[in-house]
Amino acid sequence: MKALGKILGLVILGLLLIIVALGFALTHLFDPNDYKDEIRQIARDKAHIELTLNGDIGWSLFPWLGLELHDAGVATLANPTQPFADLQMLGLSVRVLPLLRREVQMSDVRVEGLNLRLNRDKDGHGNWQDIGKAAPADRQAETPATSTGETGEAAASAEKPAQPIRLDIDSLTVNNARVEYNDEQTGKQFTAESIQLSTGPIHEATNTPVKLTAFLANSQPAVRVRTELNGELRFDRALQRYQFEDMRLSGEAAGDPLQGKTLTFSAQGQLLLDKAANVGQWTGLKLSLNQLRALGELKVNDLDKTPQISGGISIAQFDLAKFVDSIGQTLPAMAEGSLSKVELASRLQATPTSLALEDLNLKLDDSSFSGRLAIEDFAKQALRAQLKADTFNVDRYLPPKSAAANSAAAARKAEVQGSEAAAAGGTTPLPDAPTKGAWSTDRLLPVERLAQLDVDADLNFGQLTLDKLPIQNAALKASGQGGLLKLADLRGELFNGSFEANGTLDVRQSTPKLNLQTRINRVPVERILENQGQNPPVKGLVTLSSNLTGNGNSQKALIDSLNGTASFAINNGVLLNASIEQQLCQGIAVLNRKNLTSTPRGKDTPFQELKGNLTLRNGVASNPDLKVRIPGMTVNGNGDIDLRVLGLDYRVGIIVEGDLSDNPDPACQVGERFRGIELPLRCRGPLELGAKACRLDKDGLGQVAAKLAGERLKEKIDEKLGDKVSPELKNAIKGLFKR
């Protein structure tokens, strides 16, 4: 038995020596470079590609089937003279015996200088779409046809389900690779250059370390990105499960959109793709973009249908204004310090065409928002918002007034101050009507953007500051589609009063059209004016209803075209810095032909109610029925308020009872013959002057005096004539003194 074992050992050893000798003879006596034409033909017949072999082919046979290709290229049979890929060197070694078991055991695989060119022509056809396709009919005649036996074998093998090949590779290294993509339809070009890829051992169901670096570039717009990717790749083809663990992506981006600035980015997490379950997910997500930091997780379902994305995201507090500046963008002008504290946390729901932030918690400077914010259709910009906020100052985020608007406001302010100084005493001539415009000509609305807007908003604020007005419990419901914006409801509480409004804004034409209905209930009018930086001419609780229309895209254009109706009432009010009582006493003294001996007892005039109706035509409000209830007098008036220059022009008639104080001025006492006489006032000047713009109407006062004189004369005629003449004659004599 020992001898037999020794003999078998010698036989096996001999066979191994023979195999090694044959391998040595094949690799040294057989030169594959002599068979390049045959190799090219096999590539055409089997792989349907055009193979270019400009360099030498190096190889070894056993125990490794080693291969080295130098200066090789690959083209499609449709364009054999235009290679879509070439490389400087490809080196790999495969164990021979495992191939018989459909196992691929490789040593290090090296690829040097790979250059891949992908091109889509003007007809939208990509050169990669021809890879593996047979040559066109006019080229098939140029290549030898394969035998029917081979075709039959191929068909028979195609019917059998392919068995997965087991991979076992020591490492993969790609140096200095380049990928280029050109689209002749759009003129865009994308490149990935200096690609460096290295991996550890590649085995099924085990972690494979991967490192990839590259420089990416895009032509329209011009963008260049440096990237580095690290992690461990794990795959199980039988389960169709692929994982990228401890993924770390980082890099920098620069280019035209960044306006010379640099964006530094990084992303981390665990990636999973389960094709069997049609699920993908990114857990442990960490993202940074310059100073922005975010955490979260994402999951994608229904990968075989319409992908459904869900998850959550949290963005730590950061300075949004500085972030936007760091990526070369510019925000609209705002108050200093705006958008300096922004923080967000939300659940996320998305599809390829929509995005929704559910259970949103957003902190914006000193404001906190909660609710839902969604874009239901990216293409239509369909925005949906249901938000609640504690406080929000709109003024903080509005652009400041332009230089032209400030200049116009300054000119008007100077005009008002001049009129106010001239009117201070109440005995000066009637103030001039204002001439300076009160409204800005700056563009008010982004019509083009509003015309494309698809929005449905439901907003609520604990306190909303708008145009310096502190509005409590504000609510807004608005919608817009196809260029027609609807304000369904705007309401709130203001200085213990309330207001509400609704209307439409039509931007389907180049000139916007506004239709607005408002209702203000018992709001202190002086508080509104004070918040606008104006000196109020009146105090009181205003109630206002209006239905107005206007056209234009500036304050001036809207006011100039303002039409509609309104009614107003101010209760429990005071006309400030305007002693109407004193002016009336002066009028009564004139009628009494006496001089006032007392000084004015007060500079204000209280009233119980001031009310009227307005009809607006092209920015001018006509008021035919002004009525004011003042203790001791009745006031009626009519006139116009020119909203274009904020000026007033009124004729007012006052029926007074005279000085009813404990110590009345004798000159201001109303005798029996003066009772029921209406004293005329004329009010003209800037609206801010209020009652300070009113003066005795001397012409009207002369008519009153003449009327009183006529009545006095009639009384004298009655006394003198008595019953001595007929009534007809007395009436004829009286008629001679009628005016």
Side-chain angles (χ1 to χ4, degrees):
M1 292 296 291
K2 290 183 179 180
L4 180 60
K6 186 175 181 179
I7 293 171
L8 289 175
L10 291 173
V11 170
I12 293 173
L13 179 59
L15 290 173
L16 289 174
L17 290 174
I18 292 172
I19 292 173
V20 171
L22 287 173
F24 179 82
L26 284 172
T27 56
H28 287 76
L29 300 178
F30 173 74
D31 187 356
N33 290 289
D34 296 335
Y35 298 91
K36 287 184 178 180
D37 290 339
E38 286 79 357
I39 293 173
R40 294 190 188 99
Q41 189 61 49
I42 292 174
R44 295 188 191 102
D45 296 340
K46 301 299 183 181
H48 300 298
I49 59 174
E50 185 67 30
L51 183 62
T52 302
L53 301 172
N54 295 324
D56 291 337
I57 304 174
W59 78 302
S60 61
L61 180 62
F62 192 83
W64 295 90
L65 177 60
L67 177 67
E68 279 193 7
L69 290 179
H70 293 268
D71 195 9
V74 178
T76 63
L77 296 182
N79 293 286
T81 61
Q82 299 178 5
F84 65 84
D86 57 63
L87 53 83
Q88 296 175 3
M89 191 276 288
L90 169 65
L92 56 87
S93 297
V94 183
R95 287 189 180 274
V96 177
L97 294 180
L99 289 176
L100 302 177
R101 303 190 298 270
R102 297 187 62 81
E103 296 179 5
V104 178
Q105 296 182 11
M106 290 186 179
S107 62
D108 298 336
V109 178
R110 293 181 59 218
V111 179
E112 299 281 351
L114 173 64
N115 190 2
L116 181 61
R117 292 176 293 274
L118 306 176
N119 185 75
R120 186 186 295 276
D121 61 24
K122 295 181 179 180
D123 297 325
H125 181 74
N127 61 350
W128 64 89
Q129 295 176 272
D130 296 325
I131 298 174
K133 291 185 178 181
D138 58 346
R139 293 183 181 272
Q140 289 181 358
E142 301 176 8
T143 58
T146 56
S147 65
T148 55
E150 292 176 348
T151 304
E153 291 175 2
S157 62
E159 294 175 358
K160 298 179 181 179
Q163 297 296 322
I165 298 176
R166 180 181 174 185
L167 293 179
D168 187 354
I169 304 173
D170 289 347
S171 69
L172 171 62
T173 302
V174 178
N175 289 322
N176 197 28
R178 184 177 189 275
V179 178
E180 177 182 318
Y181 169 76
N182 289 285
D183 191 330
E184 296 181 13
Q185 284 187 322
T186 62
K188 293 183 178 181
Q189 182 182 50
F190 172 82
T191 58
E193 300 178 300
S194 301
I195 300 173
Q196 303 288 128
L197 172 65
S198 61
T199 74
I202 302 175
H203 305 293
E204 192 101 357
T206 60
N207 287 5
T208 300
V210 175
K211 180 177 181 180
L212 172 67
T213 62
F215 288 91
L216 310 178
N218 186 64
S219 62
Q220 296 181 5
V223 177
R224 188 167 177 82
V225 183
R226 178 190 63 80
T227 61
E228 180 175 329
L229 178 65
N230 293 275
E232 294 190 353
L233 182 64
R234 183 186 183 96
F235 60 92
D236 190 328
R237 291 177 299 163
L239 297 177
Q240 300 186 62
R241 187 179 178 89
Y242 306 88
Q243 294 174 265
F244 199 3
E245 300 180 357
D246 296 327
M247 184 275 292
R248 298 181 301 280
L249 173 67
S250 61
E252 294 180 347
D256 291 348
L258 298 175
Q259 303 294 321
K261 302 294 181 68
T262 299
L263 174 65
T264 302
F265 61 89
S266 68
Q268 300 180 31
Q270 317 295 324
L271 301 181
L272 168 66
L273 173 61
D274 190 334
K275 295 185 68 175
N278 291 304
V279 171
Q281 63 183 29
W282 184 354
T283 57
L285 182 155
K286 294 182 179 180
L287 178 68
S288 70
L289 300 170
N290 286 359
Q291 57 268 71
L292 184 150
R293 303 288 185 271
L295 302 174
E297 60 180 23
L298 297 175
K299 184 176 182 180
V300 186
N301 293 307
D302 300 333
L303 289 173
D304 59 334
K305 303 174 184 176
T306 301
Q308 304 292 320
I309 304 172
S310 61
I313 188 169
S314 174
I315 300 177
Q317 180 176 300
F318 73 110
D319 190 323
L320 178 58
K322 290 183 178 179
F323 170 75
V324 171
D325 179 70
S326 74
I327 58 175
Q329 306 303 306
T330 303
L331 288 171
M334 300 179 187
E336 186 176 354
S338 298
L339 302 179
S340 61
K341 297 178 182 178
V342 179
E343 184 178 348
L344 181 145
S346 176
R347 289 192 305 107
L348 183 148
Q349 300 286 337
T351 69
T353 60
S354 65
L355 171 65
L357 298 178
E358 310 281 357
D359 299 331
L360 172 71
N361 285 288
L362 171 66
K363 292 185 178 180
L364 187 64
D365 296 323
D366 300 324
S367 304
S368 296
F369 293 81
S370 62
R372 180 178 186 269
L373 190 63
I375 302 176
E376 291 192 348
D377 191 318
F378 293 135
K380 297 180 180 179
Q381 301 181 20
L383 178 64
R384 305 291 180 261
Q386 294 87 39
L387 296 175
K388 292 183 178 181
D390 51 0
T391 63
F392 187 58
N393 187 347
V394 179
D395 298 342
R396 185 173 184 176
Y397 305 98
L398 295 178
K401 291 183 178 179
S402 67
N406 287 331
S407 177
R412 172 171 172 77
K413 184 176 181 181
E415 183 182 38
V416 171
Q417 288 175 342
S419 299
E420 188 172 15
T427 58
T428 59
L430 198 65
D432 293 330
T435 59
K436 303 296 183 182
W439 308 99
S440 170
T441 58
D442 293 344
R443 189 170 186 262
L444 192 61
L445 302 170
V447 175
E448 297 79 8
R449 293 179 58 186
L450 292 176
Q452 299 175 359
L453 199 62
D454 183 345
V455 64
D456 192 342
D458 186 351
L459 309 178
N460 292 272
F461 304 89
Q463 177 171 316
L464 177 68
T465 301
L466 177 61
D467 203 14
K468 299 181 181 180
L469 298 176
I471 304 170
Q472 306 291 329
N473 300 320
L476 167 68
K477 291 183 179 181
S479 62
Q481 192 172 27
L484 182 61
L485 308 180
K486 296 180 180 180
L487 179 62
D489 187 24
L490 173 63
R491 63 178 64 242
E493 299 170 4
L494 184 61
F495 303 125
N496 296 320
S498 64
F499 73 93
E500 57 185 283
N502 59 79
T504 61
L505 176 63
D506 190 344
V507 293
R508 290 174 290 189
Q509 305 297 326
S510 58
T511 301
K513 295 182 179 180
L514 176 68
N515 188 315
L516 184 65
Q517 296 82 44
T518 60
R519 170 74 179 175
I520 299 174
N521 185 42
R522 299 184 66 79
V523 175
V525 64
E526 72 278 8
R527 298 288 299 275
I528 297 176
L529 296 174
E530 287 170 351
N531 277 266
Q532 306 305 307
Q534 300 179 19
N535 293 322
V538 63
K539 284 185 177 181
L541 301 178
V542 61
T543 297
L544 171 70
S545 297
S546 66
N547 186 351
L548 304 174
T549 63
N551 305 321
N553 196 15
S554 68
Q555 290 181 347
K556 184 179 185 305
L558 285 171
I559 294 298
D560 288 351
S561 62
L562 202 60
N563 291 282
T565 59
S567 62
F568 63 91
I570 301 177
N571 297 297
N572 302 323
V574 176
L575 296 175
L576 300 173
N577 298 316
S579 181
I580 292 181
E581 180 184 10
Q582 181 67 16
Q583 293 199 44
L584 294 178
C585 277
Q586 290 175 358
I588 295 172
V590 170
L591 296 177
N592 285 329
R593 297 180 182 179
K594 297 180 180 180
N595 294 322
L596 293 173
T597 59
S598 63
T599 58
R601 289 183 292 274
K603 63 178 182 178
D604 299 332
T605 301
F607 62 87
Q608 296 170 330
E609 184 182 48
L610 186 155
K611 65 179 181 179
N613 294 285
L614 300 172
T615 300
L616 291 94
R617 291 185 178 88
N618 298 325
V620 178
S622 298
N623 175 205
D625 56 355
L626 176 69
K627 293 186 179 297
V628 185
R629 291 171 53 202
I630 299 176
M633 67 183 73
T634 301
V635 180
N636 299 306
N638 64 84
D640 296 330
I641 298 176
D642 191 339
L643 297 176
R644 300 169 298 183
V645 294
L646 291 182
L648 58 85
D649 190 351
Y650 267 79
R651 293 187 180 275
V652 179
I654 303 177
I655 301 174
V656 297
E657 299 175 9
D659 190 346
L660 302 179
S661 62
D662 294 336
N663 298 304
D665 191 311
C668 190
Q669 293 181 353
V670 179
E672 189 64 34
R673 66 192 185 92
F674 289 153
R675 295 193 184 278
I677 296 299
E678 186 176 83
L679 294 177
L681 294 180
R682 179 75 182 275
C683 303
R684 185 182 68 196
L687 188 61
E688 293 93 328
L689 294 182
K692 287 189 293 183
C694 297
R695 299 288 183 273
L696 285 171
D697 188 343
K698 294 181 179 180
D699 293 337
L701 192 61
Q703 294 177 7
V704 172
K707 179 181 179 182
L708 290 175
E711 291 179 352
R712 178 61 177 167
L713 182 59
K714 293 175 186 177
E715 294 175 359
K716 292 292 184 182
I717 291 173
D718 286 336
E719 292 177 2
K720 295 293 182 181
L721 298 179
D723 297 331
K724 298 177 182 179
V725 298
S726 65
E728 291 79 6
L729 179 58
K730 283 197 294 185
N731 291 335
I733 294 173
K734 291 178 182 179
L736 295 174
F737 299 96
K738 288 185 179 180
R739 297 190 60 178

